[in-house]
Amino acid sequence: VRVGLDNLSEDGLMLYLLPLSFLASKGRAKGLFRHNPPMEVHVAHRVSFTGNGKSDNTEYAIYIWKRGWTGTPSLKWMMRSRS
């Protein structure tokens, strides 16, 4: 994440799909999140990365960073539509 932020152009955006537990690190809370918090965190429903549609027990989120942004992150939920 830090390397990605270092390589962003001015006002560039960066998205990462990471485990939701990425938020639960004391080290990141004191370092990365204090100095470069994500602008938004979008919590996803269970995501399947397999051909059979099954998922593991990991919850994921999309983290969005903007270079130079230092405000309070917003937390959002990605709602799955049924069709």
Side-chain angles (χ1 to χ4, degrees), residues 3-83:
V3 170
L5 287 166
D6 288 343
N7 287 303
L8 273 178
S9 61
E10 194 68 31
D11 292 328
L13 290 175
M14 178 175 76
L15 302 141
Y16 274 88
L17 176 65
L18 298 166
L20 186 58
S21 61
F22 187 78
L23 289 173
S25 165
K26 288 181 183 179
R28 281 189 286 274
K30 292 178 181 179
L32 176 66
F33 295 149
R34 179 172 291 167
H35 303 291
N36 298 106
M39 189 169 66
E40 297 177 8
V41 177
H42 295 256
V43 178
H45 289 275
R46 284 281 162 91
V47 179
S48 174
F49 297 106
T50 64
N52 63 8
K54 294 185 178 182
S55 64
D56 59 17
N57 289 328
T58 304
E59 302 293 342
Y60 291 92
I62 295 175
Y63 297 78
I64 303 173
W65 279 271
K66 182 174 182 179
R67 184 175 187 141
W69 189 84
T70 58
T72 301
S74 66
L75 180 64
K76 301 178 180 187
W77 279 263
M78 296 172 59
M79 304 308 284
R80 187 182 319 180
S81 64
R82 301 228 183 243
S83 35

